[in-house]
């Protein structure tokens, strides 16, 4: 069993809220400010690909939005990332690891999307975090491992697991 100091509990809570803000940025705000969540030298694992650097990660989401406009019903996609079993491992006052389960629900079109049969994907995730000079926690590495994949061709396209 892990024991936390009061300062570590505050950091764990702050990181958990940061994770939820990240989900809202992607799901509700279209990832327009997603770069604010990553360090300059961050790495994002998307399927077999490693996307290196904040600007490349921002470009990944821009490309995603362009593909939504091209390939999805009415140029829209509705998705929700649900993060479960969030655990914080505090290394020191400026570095930590989050481990969690990401259950992703998504479908073509604007909400409410009809006919969803189950999650698009379930991933075991590890997120390395660093407190930057401005005091904000940012992600240095986001490493999801797809444990289960639904029948979501668009998600497979974005993870380079299938071609559209």
């Amino acid at each position: 069993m892990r024991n936390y100091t009061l300062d570590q509990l505050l950091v764990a809570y702050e990181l958990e809220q940061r994770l939820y803000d990240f989900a809202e940025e992607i799901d509700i705000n279209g990832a327009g400010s997603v770069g604010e969540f990553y360090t300059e030298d961050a790495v994002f694992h998307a399927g077999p690909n490693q996307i290196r650097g904040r600007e490349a990660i921002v470009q990944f989401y821009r490309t995603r939005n362009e593909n939504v406009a091209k390939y999805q019903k009415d140029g829209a996609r509705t998705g929700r990332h649900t993060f479960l079993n969030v655990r914080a491992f505090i290394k020191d006052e400026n570095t930590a690891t989050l481990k969690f389960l990401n259950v992703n629900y998504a479908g073509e079109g604007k909400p409410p999307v009809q006919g969803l049969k189950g999650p698009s994907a379930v991933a075991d995730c590890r997120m390395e975090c660093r407190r930057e000079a401005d005091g904000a926690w940012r992600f240095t590495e986001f490493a999801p491992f797809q444990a289960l994949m639904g029948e979501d061709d668009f998600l497979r396209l974005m993870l380079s697991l299938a071609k559209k």
Side-chain angles (χ1 to χ4, degrees), residues 38-50:
Y38 287 96
T39 60
E40 194 66 39
D41 61 343
V43 178
F44 172 48
H45 302 264
N49 302 310
Q50 288 188 12

Side-chain angles (χ1 to χ4, degrees), residues 141-158:
E141 183 177 17
F142 182 23
F145 172 76
Q146 300 301 321
L148 301 164
M149 287 294 298
E151 297 300 319
D152 188 336
D153 290 339
F154 183 81
L155 181 60
R156 291 172 189 259
L157 169 71
M158 292 310 301

Side-chain angles (χ1 to χ4, degrees), residues 108-128:
E108 287 190 63
K110 296 178 183 176
V113 172
Q114 303 293 317
L116 186 66
K117 292 183 173 71
S120 297
V122 178
D124 299 310
C125 298
R126 179 180 50 81
M127 194 170 266
E128 299 297 331

Side-chain angles (χ1 to χ4, degrees), residues 75-132:
R77 181 171 175 85
T78 300
R80 297 295 182 269
H81 292 76
T82 56
F83 299 139
L84 307 169
N85 301 335
V86 179
R87 294 168 292 138
F89 299 86
I90 313 303
K91 295 176 186 171
D92 58 46
E93 64 186 27
N94 294 313
T95 56
T97 300
L98 291 174
K99 292 184 178 181
F100 55 94
L101 185 67
N102 176 6
V103 181
N104 185 337
Y105 298 90
E108 287 190 63
K110 296 178 183 176
V113 172
Q114 303 293 317
L116 186 66
K117 292 183 173 71
S120 297
V122 178
D124 299 310
C125 298
R126 179 180 50 81
M127 194 170 266
E128 299 297 331
C129 307
R130 180 172 69 218
R131 189 189 318 258
E132 299 275 80

Side-chain angles (χ1 to χ4, degrees), residues 37-76:
F37 290 88
Y38 287 96
T39 60
E40 194 66 39
D41 61 343
V43 178
F44 172 48
H45 302 264
N49 302 310
Q50 288 188 12
I51 303 165
R52 296 188 172 277
R54 178 189 294 147
E55 188 52 42
I57 294 167
V58 168
Q59 184 58 48
F60 169 85
Y61 284 101
R62 282 188 198 124
T63 300
R64 177 203 176 276
N65 290 343
E66 291 167 5
N67 286 333
V68 165
K70 286 181 198 175
Y71 300 121
Q72 297 285 275
K73 177 182 173 186
D74 300 325

